[in-house]
Amino acid sequence: MYATTDTLATTPAAQGGRSRWLALYTLCAGMLMIVLDVTVVNVALPAIQDDLGFTSSSLAWVVNAYLIAFGGLLLLAGRLGDLLGRRNVFVGGLIVFTIASVWCGLAQSQETLVIARFAQGVGGALTSAVILGMIVTLFPEPREQAKAIGVYAFVASAGGSIGLLAGGVLTQAINWHWIFFINLPIGALTAVLAVKLIAKDKGLGLGRGTDVPGAVLITAALMVGVFTIVKPAAEEGWTAPRTLLLGLVTAVLLAGFIVREATAATPLVPLRIFRSRNLTGANLIQALATSGMFGIFFLGSLYLQRVLGYDALEIGLAFLPTTVVMGLLSVKYSEKLVMRFGPRRPLIAGLSLVVLGLALFTQAPVDGNYFVHVLPVLALLGFGGGICFPALMGLSMADVKPEDAGLASGLIGTTAEVGAALGLAVLATLSATRTAGLEAAGAAPLDALTSGYHLAFGIAAAIVAAAVVIACTLMRPAKQPVEVAEEEDLALEAA
């Protein structure tokens, strides 16, 4: 089955066609605000450090506090959407995120900003975890669902590069406080529109899944796991005693969670959901693809800044072609490709283009030219991401039961977040180690930096290549959506 319906929510038919698309744009506005915030903050980090007196090591907590809360709570937030109603959780998350953004903007001390960023992560998890489940509920018809998922995938995957540009403009034109204040009108308007445009769903009720021990175990496991990746593993190494100890704690918590879910009468995450090859495979692919691509956007920005000498605004402009290409394919053509070939073949083709682009980036030299060595890479990443991510989103929800749509939506978000954090930590650590080793051997600083980036780009290509293998072997070839739609039409005519 390619689409899912939600018998617990107001049916899509109850909302007119125009109203449903306005609801989609509202959901995407909420997602865009969450995605933009990550890269906008990255661009403003030097200004924040100078103003509040962060050290280089303590500055990482401006990012890590958000990532730990966001990555740790996504799965729980998705399940809460099924239990309490997805619109309620979405709007509640927007309110928390918006208030926390103002708190961040008003921060005059390091401690206040870090705590406010953690609160932002909580709101971001609540908001983003339920969006995909709401989209497949709003658009059960295969053709419209493919188009709607294309719009969502564009916002989720390409919004980060827009944040690079927005962060540069706001930080340079005004000050870093406004990267947070800008969320106030956007968040407030999105919350109001969500209440007006999105049909209220009842939810299953807390009695159907109030698994407090399971919620505590998985949230603790994800938070400790993300903390391990972004802090001790990135700073001290993967074999450092603290990294190994926290890794063991994460494994014990995950094992306890699995045992709990296998025996609980009303589990937070019913393990039956992983019986679907497509859902399991889609989450593995999501983790690998985001590991490669997110790390490369970060390290690619460093290559442009430290090797080619770009400033924040120039970096944002440099990444715009990726956004434009990805947006054009996601919004205009991904639905046609999925309807014509099914989601599996576009997924494989898109991932293969990403591998090619990452491999090509390993050839960028110290005196690289943007149009020769960078633009072709960004174009390939844009083409690949624009083709593969909408198809992947569709596959991740294809076999999900209506009552599990929020959980599946939170799960795909969780694997993306953990994959991004893991990929960034691994690639950045290996790149820095290669650079330090070459500098110690007497290499020129720029040569050492570039070689470190090349290693990261090559490893990222290998990681995404592994995702291609999974897509070819694990993902179940399904009927093309156009065939499903034709069968449904014939069934209606026969009735």
Side-chain angles (χ1 to χ4, degrees), residues 215-232:
V216 171
L217 284 168
I218 190 59
T219 302
L222 290 172
M223 284 189 172
V224 174
V226 173
F227 171 80
T228 304
I229 293 167
V230 301
K231 190 64 177 174

Side-chain angles (χ1 to χ4, degrees), residues 116-436:
R117 285 286 287 163
F118 186 90
Q120 257 196 321
V122 174
L126 292 170
T127 300
S128 60
V130 296
I131 291 177
L132 190 57
M134 296 170 76
I135 290 175
V136 298
T137 297
L138 280 168
F139 299 92
E141 193 274 322
R143 187 181 300 276
E144 287 189 334
Q145 186 180 111
K147 185 175 181 179
I149 288 177
V151 175
Y152 165 78
F154 161 64
V155 171
S157 56
S161 55
I162 300 174
L164 292 173
L165 180 60
V169 171
L170 288 171
T171 303
Q172 293 182 14
I174 313 176
N175 58 55
W176 67 265
H177 297 275
W178 282 90
I179 67 171
F180 297 111
F181 288 145
I182 197 66
N183 289 332
L184 176 58
I186 299 174
L189 179 61
T190 304
V192 171
L193 291 176
V195 173
K196 290 183 175 295
L197 295 173
I198 300 174
K200 185 176 182 180
D201 53 317
K202 184 179 179 182
L204 296 166
L206 289 176
R208 290 285 300 276
T210 313
D211 179 16
V212 176
V216 171
L217 284 168
I218 190 59
T219 302
L222 290 172
M223 284 189 172
V224 174
V226 173
F227 171 80
T228 304
I229 293 167
V230 301
K231 190 64 177 174
E235 295 181 0
E236 302 169 20
W238 291 92
T239 58
R242 191 160 68 118
T243 303
L244 295 175
L245 176 61
L246 290 175
L248 178 61
V249 171
T250 302
V252 170
L253 289 170
L254 283 174
F257 171 72
I258 293 172
V259 171
R260 168 66 188 177
E261 300 312 283
T263 57
T266 56
L268 176 70
V269 181
L271 297 183
R272 57 176 166 74
I273 197 171
F274 295 105
R275 294 173 186 168
S276 167
R277 285 175 53 185
N278 279 348
L279 182 139
T280 302
N283 278 277
L284 289 173
I285 292 169
Q286 176 82 318
L288 292 170
T290 53
S291 293
M293 288 194 68
F294 186 84
I296 289 310
F297 278 121
F298 178 80
L299 293 172
S301 298
L302 291 180
Y303 168 76
L304 294 176
Q305 178 188 29
R306 296 180 178 178
V307 179
L308 301 188
Y310 285 32
D311 62 27
L313 185 57
E314 288 172 332
I315 291 173
L317 291 171
F319 277 94
L320 272 183
T322 302
T323 305
V324 172
V325 172
M326 193 176 293
L328 183 64
L329 285 170
S330 297
V331 176
K332 190 172 180 62
Y333 296 107
S334 65
E335 171 256 340
K336 296 178 181 178
L337 290 171
V338 170
M339 293 299 295
R340 176 65 180 85
F341 299 106
R344 184 170 175 266
R345 280 187 279 181
L347 172 63
I348 295 171
L351 289 172
S352 299
L353 289 176
V354 171
V355 173
L356 179 60
L358 295 174
L360 188 62
F361 216 177
T362 64
Q363 305 304 307
V366 171
D367 57 347
N369 179 280
Y370 174 76
F371 293 99
V372 175
H373 302 106
V374 180
L375 182 59
V377 172
L378 298 181
L380 284 169
L381 295 181
F383 274 107
I387 293 172
C388 76
F389 281 115
L392 182 62
M393 295 300 103
L395 279 170
S396 70
M397 302 297 292
D399 299 328
V400 176
K401 295 181 178 181
E403 62 269 22
D404 295 327
L407 171 61
S409 177
L411 184 62
I412 197 74
T414 300
T415 53
E417 187 67 22
V418 174
L422 179 62
L424 179 56
V426 170
L427 297 177
T429 300
L430 294 176
S431 176
T433 302
R434 163 69 71 88
T435 296

Side-chain angles (χ1 to χ4, degrees), residues 48-68:
I48 294 173
Q49 181 177 17
D50 293 339
D51 190 23
L52 298 184
F54 280 97
T55 64
S56 296
S57 59
S58 63
L59 183 65
W61 279 104
V62 177
V63 176
N64 293 346
Y66 181 90
L67 285 178
I68 290 168

